Amino acid sequence: MNEDGIAWIARADLSWLGHCVTLARGLSPEQLVARLARGHEPVSLGEYTAAAAETHLTRRDQERGVGDSIAVRYGDAGGLAFAVAHGDNWPGRMGPGYTDGLSNDGADVFQLYWEKENPKLPPPVFAYFRDGRYMCGFHMCMNSSQEITGPRPDLVRGDVEAAGIFSETDGDLAHSKSLSVVEQRFRLTLPKTLVLQGKLPTALIAGQA
């Protein structure tokens, strides 16, 4: 699987909860993190591996007695800023419904979101935003909506149909195929070894108090 793309995400555990990955073209990593903080001032935590970040946030919430910490590990790859969510509290507080302003001022923002441990089993979702507007998105799995939403479904419809994603009966394969489609269509990448095993700058974006 291409380590320089994003299709590998379908078969990797970015966190035990699933994943929320935000990629941006036209923003620096620091600008992306500031926008993800949604009006709060991000707090730098230093550099962490994925496992160490999860441990730190769990311990922090236990010590504070408040379970609201969310952090992102972030960086730049192939001209794309990226931010990967960590902590037990990002599901339902990032991703769909929490994207206002992310792509303002001409930026292109792409989000990959999957609540793996949600008992309602929502499908993994892809969404693309440009210059403050939602452009297109779709469920990257079988047994879910086969609609490509947004004003520009044409950006991905041909590739999605050619890949047979909505008729694929293997959910993991549909997810992987979907990621391959948007990887190629929008030239997306996320460094696998660095994200899964390496240390990255980490910032708290919620639970600062």
Side-chain angles (χ1 to χ4, degrees), residues 24-35 74-76 79-82:
R25 188 171 286 120
L27 296 175
S28 70
E30 292 75 18
Q31 288 173 321
L32 176 59
V33 171
R35 293 188 181 193
Y74 62 94
D76 179 276
L80 283 167
F82 67 83

Side-chain angles (χ1 to χ4, degrees), residues 124 140-142 168-176:
M140 300 190 290
C141 197
M142 64 173 186
E168 177 56 63
T169 58
D170 182 319
D172 290 336
L173 186 55
H175 190 184
S176 180

Side-chain angles (χ1 to χ4, degrees), residues 8-203:
W8 61 266
I9 295 173
R11 300 187 183 278
D13 291 326
L14 273 64
S15 80
W16 70 274
L17 288 165
H19 59 253
C20 181
V21 176
T22 307
L23 305 163
R25 188 171 286 120
L27 296 175
S28 70
E30 292 75 18
Q31 288 173 321
L32 176 59
V33 171
R35 293 188 181 193
L36 288 169
R38 299 178 57 81
H40 298 286
E41 185 68 27
V43 177
S44 176
L45 299 176
E47 293 194 351
Y48 281 84
T49 64
E54 297 285 345
T55 298
H56 174 80
L57 294 171
T58 298
R59 183 180 300 120
R60 183 177 189 274
D61 281 351
Q62 289 173 345
E63 292 173 350
R64 294 164 65 238
V66 181
D68 62 355
S69 295
I70 303 173
V72 291
R73 294 166 63 242
Y74 62 94
D76 179 276
L80 283 167
F82 67 83
V84 180
H86 288 281
D88 293 344
N89 303 293
W90 59 261
R93 299 175 65 189
M94 294 182 69
Y98 296 89
T99 53
D100 287 352
L102 285 184
S103 64
N104 284 354
D105 306 314
D108 292 285
V109 171
F110 312 89
Q111 204 156 58
L112 311 169
Y113 188 91
W114 184 31
E115 291 185 42
K116 179 180 178 181
E117 293 301 314
N118 189 322
K120 295 181 180 179
L121 296 176
V125 174
F126 165 76
Y128 168 42
F129 305 84
R130 177 174 174 77
D131 198 21
R133 297 179 60 218
Y134 173 56
M135 301 302 289
C136 66
F138 64 98
H139 289 176
M140 300 190 290
C141 197
M142 64 173 186
N143 297 331
S144 61
S145 170
Q146 297 187 7
E147 180 184 7
I148 300 173
T149 60
R152 292 295 310 278
D154 57 292
L155 291 174
V156 295
R157 178 180 286 127
D159 295 331
V160 166
E161 292 176 350
I165 291 165
F166 292 142
S167 60
E168 177 56 63
T169 58
D170 182 319
D172 290 336
L173 186 55
H175 190 184
S176 180
K177 284 182 175 181
S178 297
L179 289 170
S180 292
V181 162
V182 297
E183 169 190 315
Q184 294 169 25
R185 179 64 182 82
F186 298 108
R187 296 177 289 115
L188 303 182
T189 188
L190 188 69
K192 179 179 179 180
T193 300
L194 184 58
V195 168
L196 294 181
Q197 303 172 16
K199 289 185 176 181
L200 284 167
T202 305

